[in-house]
């Protein structure tokens, strides 16, 4: 009987420690609504689009080592600079956000934004970022007509 209780206790400790270690891992949020991975140069490029009405309405870009999927570089896009108004639009402070037409053209990641500002103005932007072997170039967004 004593051996049985010790065995149950050991199993309990094992399962509790296993669940704790899996909680510590970085899983993709349930707020991720679109994910894509493509090979760029010798690495993998992954983008993750999060729900625009979540607490994290961002676009995440990642460079990964092909084969091991080790993270090389991560960039979170949660705001864009508006050159015409000389201000930064924080995605959390918008009344509406849509990120669409995400694609890779050679080594450039391109996407479009539709931003509804609190003033009820709608702003359309074309954005691009170059993908290097170990880093990303600065994000460039321009108003579209």
């Amino acid at each position: 009987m004593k051996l049985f209780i010790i065995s149950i206790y050991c199993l309990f400790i094992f399962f509790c420690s296993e669940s704790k270690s899996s909680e510590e891992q970085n899983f993709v949020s349930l707020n991720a609504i679109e994910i894509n991975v493509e090979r760029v140069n010798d690495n993998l490029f992954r983008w993750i689009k999060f729900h625009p009405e979540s607490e994290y309405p961002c676009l995440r870009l990642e460079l990964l080592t092909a084969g091991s999927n080790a993270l090389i570089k991560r960039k979170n896009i949660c705001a864009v600079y508006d050159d015409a108004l000389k201000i930064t639009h924080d995605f959390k402070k918008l009344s509406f956000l849509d990120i669409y037409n995400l694609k890779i053209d050679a080594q450039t990641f391109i996407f479009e934004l539709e931003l509804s500002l609190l003033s009820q103005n709608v702003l359309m932007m074309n954005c691009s970022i170059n993908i290097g072997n170990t880093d990303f170039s600065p994000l460039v967004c321009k108003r579209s007509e």
Side-chain angles (χ1 to χ4, degrees):
M1 181 67 169
K2 189 176 186 179
L3 184 58
F4 177 72
I5 292 173
I6 292 172
S7 297
I8 299 265
Y9 177 74
C10 288
L11 284 173
F12 176 75
I13 296 296
F14 174 75
F15 285 115
C16 287
S17 64
E18 284 296 308
S19 65
K20 183 178 179 184
S21 64
S22 66
E23 288 174 4
E24 293 171 357
Q25 293 179 4
N26 277 335
F27 292 103
V28 174
S29 166
L30 295 176
N31 289 323
I33 58 172
E34 198 172 340
I35 300 172
N36 193 17
V37 178
E38 292 189 37
R39 183 177 281 279
V40 176
N41 299 325
D42 294 331
N43 297 318
L44 298 176
F45 170 70
R46 173 170 57 193
W47 55 262
I48 304 166
K49 181 174 139 181
F50 293 91
H51 196 284
E53 294 179 12
S54 70
E55 291 180 23
Y56 189 75
C58 301
L59 179 64
R60 176 174 290 161
L61 311 179
E62 296 177 332
L63 274 175
L64 308 167
T65 303
S68 69
N69 292 340
L71 182 65
I72 299 170
K73 187 71 174 184
R74 175 179 288 157
K75 182 174 187 77
N76 294 313
I77 300 171
C78 302
V80 292
Y81 183 72
D82 186 349
D83 201 33
L85 296 176
K86 305 292 186 214
I87 61 169
T88 299
H89 299 293
D90 185 343
F91 292 173
K92 287 185 179 183
K93 296 179 181 175
L94 299 172
S95 57
F96 177 79
L97 167 69
D98 191 14
I99 304 170
Y100 58 98
N101 289 341
L102 300 101
K103 61 185 175 187
I104 295 179
D105 183 16
Q107 297 173 327
T108 304
F109 181 61
I110 302 166
F111 60 95
E112 295 178 45
L113 292 173
E114 181 179 343
L115 312 171
S116 289
L117 310 177
L118 296 176
S119 63
Q120 301 304 321
N121 293 338
V122 175
L123 175 63
M124 307 294 284
M125 298 183 96
N126 295 317
C127 300
S128 64
I129 189 167
N130 292 327
I131 306 165
N133 286 326
T134 59
D135 204 353
F136 300 105
S137 71
L139 178 67
V140 176
C141 292
K142 298 187 188 243
R143 287 182 176 222
S144 57
E145 302 300 321

